[in-house]
Amino acid sequence: MFELNSRFQIAAMFALAVIIIDYCKNPHLKLLSTKCFRLLLWMTGINLCLDLLTVHLADHIGQVSPFLNRLCHQLFIASIILVIFFNYLYISILANQQKRMNGRKWLLTLIPLIISFLVIGFGNLNAGYEYGEMAYSSGTAVYTVYACGTAYLLLGVKISFEKRADLTGNQRRSVRIGLGIWCIVMAAQLYFPQLRLSGMGFVLLVLSIYFSYENQKENFDSETGCFNKNAFHRMLSEYYEKGKTLYLVNLACENLDRISSLVGHEQGMGAMKYLSSLFSSCTGKEVYHSRSRVLSIFVTEDMHKMIDRLHRLEVTLAEESYLSSKLYCHMTVMDLRKFISSKDEVFELMHFMEEKYQGNDCKIYFLNEDIVNEKRRKNKIDLFLNEALQNQGFEMVYQPIYHTREKCFRSAEALVRLKNTGDLGYVSPEEFIPIAEEKGMIMEIGDRTLALVSEFIREADLLSSPLQYIEVNLSAIQASSPRLDKRFAEIMQKYQIPASFINLEITETATINFGKIFTENINRLRDTGFSFSMDDFGTGYSNLAQMNEIRYDLVKLDKSLIWPAFEEDEGKAGQAEKLLSSVIRLLHHIGVKIVAEGVETEEMADYLTEKGVEYLQGYYFSRPMDREQFLEFMNQK
Ligand code: C2E
Ligand code: CA
Ligand code: CA
């Protein structure tokens, strides 16, 4: 039977058993640190078993041969230094330290371990019976192991301070708490030599690592049944650092948000779970839920075989549905060795490709140089926009708008331009406005453009010119920003411009969704005197249904409705002309005035005038011009 002094070991054994059972229940990442933690776990178990065995032998000292007794004590002491060594190794792996080590450094690191083994093998070891009932090992071997163990523990602390940048806050904390626990246990051991506390100390150490970092539940996404974002980041770091062949294959479920909003979040996650099982069975790889609607796998071998599998998956996915909702998916394949310059770029490009191929066919898209360049240009524009906001880098150009009945120019559209774009060349607002929207700069840019237009109106005294109003573009996101009405009122106040001199053009997009802020903003701005145009009528979301929500004063017919009516192919042109004239009739019927955009020829201008379109805008009359050119143009007319 165990004596009193085995209590700690038995308690530690239970605690360890709980950790091991919990650990084995969950799937594991194939990280080097996880493998090392497993070694640490098993070694701690072996240490506890040997601990109990040596206590048992000490209690039955007369019944075992001195050789066997000594051997068991030797193994027990060796297991102590091994546990401490694996703990040190684990910290080094977390801190990426092992990658910076050459052969000499490895040898230096192993010296305490080698010394310990030599002394355990050949040094003095009092195997338990010295203290009679108290199963305590002592002698040179024990003290040497404690000294070498302390050296490893101190080295561990050193790494946790020195390589703090490589460790997450959680890791640093767990390493230090673990080491703190170990030091307390060592001190207690010296004070109470009759107790065996090392086993308990090790289990507490393992416990602190387990709960803070190695708990595999933290890597697992129970909703989708695959590894989560956290696990994806850790695996990506490890694979990326290895520098070997590495592909990332992403499967994006484009209509996940829609499914979730229709049938609930749980069902949405159910769809992802279903996709992940398809993805995994088709590719034979572990699947990661890497972004909200994206599943990913890593491919570390040649891609040829995998491509065939992905093509099979592509065919399956094209017909796939979940609970009667069709699943719209696309796949992207990224060669991380060929095109990517840093790990951070992986996430940027994943996101970029996910957005780029949204709404396209269910296909496989490969990352290539053009996409990388497109993304890098986008980053540069982002930087440039930030600079432009600091250094007054925006200017406005004005495109006159012709009044067909009065036969003169009665308004103009203000269009924003970026000054001095350097090696980026010309950057159209069509390119930089969406970036400004995505990066949250659009509100500030929008306020600047309105201020620039107001300043121009004031300085050129346009209020006393034949112009009735200036049209200013309002981004959909900007229109939904809080306090928009107050900011615009301040600008009007500053330049003493009546709001009725500004017509705000809005392009409807999916993002507007007629939120509360959007409609409140529009109503308040209308009360202040601003008028509104629906821009780009006939494209995307700009359509008749939106007219029920917002009262527009003007509708701007997009060029894509106009140009086809003037195509050379008479058949097509005839059909398009019918559509165009019906749209014009319909808009007039509901009482809105029309501005036709993209009028490039006399033929277009004459036709639209004849159909009663009130305003014409396009290169036929003039391109957008800077302030001086615009004033000169207006003076000549
Ligand atoms: P939009 O509001 O539809 O502006 C009309 C665009 O068509 C302008 O391009 C204009 O230069 C161009 N255009 C005018 N007449 C013709 C023509 O006869 N033929 C052709 N091919 N094009 C013509 P721009 O200035 O590059 O602006 C592009 C888009 O960028 C605008 O489309 C608008 O959506 C956005 N944008 C421009 N300025 C601003 C601004 O200050 N704020 C916001 N939020 N968006 C702006
Ligand atoms: Ca416009
Ligand atoms: Ca337009």
Side-chain angles (χ1 to χ4, degrees):
M1 274 325 306
F2 297 122
E3 292 291 332
L4 198 67
N5 52 17
S6 310
R7 270 193 201 159
F8 283 101
Q9 287 91 323
I10 294 171
M13 201 78 162
F14 271 116
L16 189 72
V18 171
I19 304 178
I20 293 181
I21 292 169
D22 198 50
Y23 185 81
C24 293
K25 253 185 5 206
N26 297 302
H28 296 110
L29 289 178
K30 289 182 184 135
L31 289 167
L32 196 59
S33 57
T34 303
K35 287 177 191 158
C36 185
F37 178 72
R38 209 173 307 155
L39 272 179
L40 179 63
L41 209 59
W42 291 119
M43 206 61 228
T44 310
I46 292 172
N47 171 266
L48 275 174
C49 292
L50 287 167
D51 200 348
L52 283 171
L53 183 66
T54 49
V55 172
H56 182 75
L57 290 179
D59 288 342
H60 302 84
I61 197 73
Q63 299 159 23
V64 226
S65 75
F67 171 75
L68 194 63
N69 189 39
R70 183 181 162 85
L71 181 69
C72 287
H73 274 78
Q74 278 173 320
L75 289 174
F76 167 58
I77 302 293
S79 71
I80 291 184
I81 192 70
L82 278 174
V83 170
I84 301 177
F85 176 71
F86 286 141
N87 176 56
Y88 167 74
L89 205 63
Y90 177 77
I91 299 169
S92 318
I93 291 169
L94 286 188
N96 264 330
Q97 183 76 359
Q98 87 286 0
K99 255 196 305 117
R100 304 178 187 114
M101 303 241 273
N102 51 28
R104 217 179 109 249
K105 279 195 179 161
W106 267 113
L107 201 67
L108 279 174
T109 311
L110 287 173
I111 284 177
L113 189 66
I114 296 167
I115 294 176
S116 299
F117 281 159
L118 288 175
V119 181
I120 291 167
F122 307 106
N124 163 262
L125 178 68
N126 302 320
Y129 38 81
E130 297 287 292
Y131 285 83
E133 272 179 52
M134 297 163 247
Y136 175 66
S137 313
S138 63
T140 331
V142 176
Y143 305 129
T144 310
V145 162
Y146 275 5
C148 292
T150 310
Y152 279 129
L153 291 170
L154 290 177
L155 277 174
V157 177
K158 186 170 161 257
I159 292 177
S160 84
F161 279 99
E162 263 181 19
K163 306 290 168 206
R164 50 187 309 136
D166 291 313
L167 295 167
T168 63
N170 219 355
Q171 287 172 341
R172 281 199 297 271
R173 225 166 298 127
S174 98
V175 164
R176 288 176 201 160
I177 291 176
L179 295 176
I181 292 172
W182 176 245
C183 291
I184 294 169
V185 169
M186 290 261 281
Q189 178 75 86
L190 285 177
Y191 200 71
F192 304 106
Q194 73 277 22
L195 298 177
R196 282 252 186 113
L197 293 172
S198 65
M200 182 55 100
F202 288 144
V203 171
L204 290 175
L205 187 89
V206 166
L207 213 75
S208 89
I209 298 176
Y210 181 68
F211 280 117
S212 54
Y213 205 60
E214 283 301 326
N215 188 350
Q216 295 299 318
K217 277 184 206 132
E218 304 222 328
N219 294 321
F220 200 66
D221 183 3
S222 54
E223 285 183 315
T224 55
C226 40
F227 287 113
N228 62 15
K229 217 178 264 181
N230 179 41
F232 175 73
H233 282 242
R234 289 176 69 182
M235 278 322 283
L236 176 66
S237 299
E238 183 141 331
Y239 281 137
Y240 196 79
E241 303 280 329
K242 271 188 190 160
K244 295 189 185 146
T245 309
L246 182 60
Y247 293 90
L248 181 63
V249 183
N250 304 301
L251 169 66
C253 176
E254 296 175 1
N255 58 334
L256 176 70
D257 295 344
R258 201 171 151 67
I259 295 174
S260 299
S261 67
L262 282 177
V263 287
H265 173 78
E266 247 171 63
Q267 302 288 12
M269 286 302 108
M272 287 303 267
K273 190 171 189 170
Y274 176 63
L275 279 176
S276 116
S277 65
L278 272 181
F279 200 15
S280 157
S281 62
C282 225
T283 58
K285 297 277 177 193
E286 279 166 351
V287 179
Y288 298 79
H289 189 193
S290 54
R291 290 173 56 82
S292 64
R293 49 184 187 169
V294 183
L295 300 168
S296 305
I297 57 164
F298 292 103
V299 180
T300 48
E301 64 276 345
D302 193 69
M303 199 59 196
H304 280 99
K305 271 190 208 143
M306 187 54 79
I307 290 292
D308 292 340
R309 292 177 173 198
L310 292 180
H311 279 305
R312 277 200 294 274
L313 179 62
E314 185 187 349
V315 175
T316 316
L317 284 173
E319 275 134 35
E320 222 39 71
S321 57
Y322 179 76
L323 294 179
S324 74
S325 297
K326 171 106 187 66
L327 296 174
Y328 293 98
C329 304
H330 71 250
M331 280 183 272
T332 55
V333 178
M334 301 164 74
D335 183 342
L336 303 191
R337 293 285 161 233
K338 204 162 169 189
F339 300 112
I340 311 261
S341 61
S342 76
K343 209 180 68 203
D344 293 339
E345 209 177 21
V346 176
F347 299 107
E348 287 184 12
L349 279 162
M350 263 178 88
H351 178 58
F352 186 72
M353 287 179 84
E354 184 193 333
E355 301 279 304
K356 188 176 168 74
Y357 298 117
Q358 166 81 10
N360 284 32
D361 293 340
C362 170
K363 267 197 196 157
I364 306 173
Y365 299 94
F366 292 84
L367 177 65
N368 59 38
E369 196 120 26
D370 292 343
I371 296 173
V372 177
N373 290 338
E374 203 181 320
K375 169 71 192 135
R376 288 187 184 150
R377 180 176 164 89
K378 191 176 162 188
N379 284 358
K380 276 193 195 167
I381 293 174
D382 178 13
L383 280 179
F384 201 85
L385 285 176
N386 268 305
E387 272 171 35
L389 276 174
Q390 316 285 327
N391 319 320
Q392 270 70 49
F394 297 100
E395 65 182 346
M396 303 307 288
V397 291
Y398 298 85
Q399 187 175 30
I401 298 176
Y402 186 74
H403 195 302
T404 51
R405 232 168 284 149
E406 296 184 19
K407 299 198 181 343
C408 62
F409 294 91
R410 298 304 301 271
S411 55
E413 178 172 2
L415 296 153
V416 68
R417 294 288 179 265
L418 259 178
K419 288 194 254 180
N420 316 321
T421 43
D423 63 343
L424 282 170
Y426 176 68
V427 185
S428 141
E430 256 161 353
E431 195 177 358
F432 72 77
I433 293 286
I435 299 176
E437 287 182 333
E438 191 188 320
K439 306 284 174 175
M441 286 180 268
I442 192 65
M443 272 59 106
E444 220 174 325
I445 296 177
D447 290 359
R448 291 284 170 90
T449 51
L450 184 66
L452 284 170
V453 172
S454 306
E455 186 187 61
F456 178 47
I457 298 171
R458 172 70 28 229
E459 285 175 5
D461 195 17
L462 296 187
L463 293 175
S464 350
S465 76
L467 291 174
Q468 293 170 322
Y469 56 86
I470 304 283
E471 293 180 7
V472 176
N473 289 281
L474 189 64
S475 139
I477 293 184
Q478 194 190 355
S480 309
S481 76
R483 295 195 68 253
L484 178 81
D485 54 321
K486 300 224 165 49
R487 298 198 317 264
F488 274 20
E490 276 166 25
I491 298 170
M492 297 287 102
Q493 175 77 23
K494 181 175 171 195
Y495 295 98
Q496 291 291 302
I497 311 288
S500 58
F501 206 72
I502 303 287
N503 175 285
L504 295 169
E505 293 187 6
I506 306 175
T507 308
E508 307 284 12
T509 67
T511 44
I512 289 191
N513 209 11
F514 299 112
K516 195 162 159 260
I517 303 180
F518 176 80
T519 26
E520 274 176 11
N521 272 342
I522 303 299
N523 290 337
R524 287 204 203 115
L525 286 168
R526 183 177 283 288
D527 290 346
T528 331
F530 288 95
S531 58
F532 290 90
S533 300
M534 180 193 278
D535 206 352
D536 300 342
F537 184 86
T539 63
Y541 289 83
S542 281
N543 56 47
L544 284 172
Q546 318 285 18
M547 301 243 176
N548 287 328
E549 309 287 335
I550 306 279
R551 189 158 59 83
Y552 288 101
D553 306 271
L554 289 169
V555 166
K556 300 195 77 169
L557 279 194
D558 191 70
K559 39 191 175 285
S560 59
L561 263 182
I562 300 171
W563 288 356
F566 300 90
E567 260 190 32
E568 278 180 11
D569 180 333
E570 281 186 9
K572 278 190 194 157
Q575 191 64 24
E577 190 275 325
K578 271 190 208 150
L579 180 69
L580 177 61
S581 63
S582 320
V583 168
I584 295 171
R585 258 203 316 275
L586 189 124
L587 289 172
H588 279 152
H589 184 70
I590 56 172
V592 282
K593 289 185 177 162
I594 304 172
V595 183
E597 287 187 299
V599 180
E600 292 196 344
T601 61
E602 190 176 4
E603 189 194 2
M604 287 184 196
D606 289 347
Y607 171 87
L608 293 161
T609 309
E610 197 244 315
K611 291 284 168 192
V613 171
E614 288 80 1
Y615 298 96
L616 306 180
Q617 174 183 2
Y619 294 170
Y620 172 65
F621 299 99
S622 165
R623 287 186 176 253
M625 296 168 281
D626 65 24
R627 287 169 52 143
E628 285 65 37
Q629 289 169 330
F630 176 72
L631 290 177
E632 209 180 305
F633 178 92
M634 290 301 292
N635 279 337
Q636 284 168 5
K637 298 289 160 179

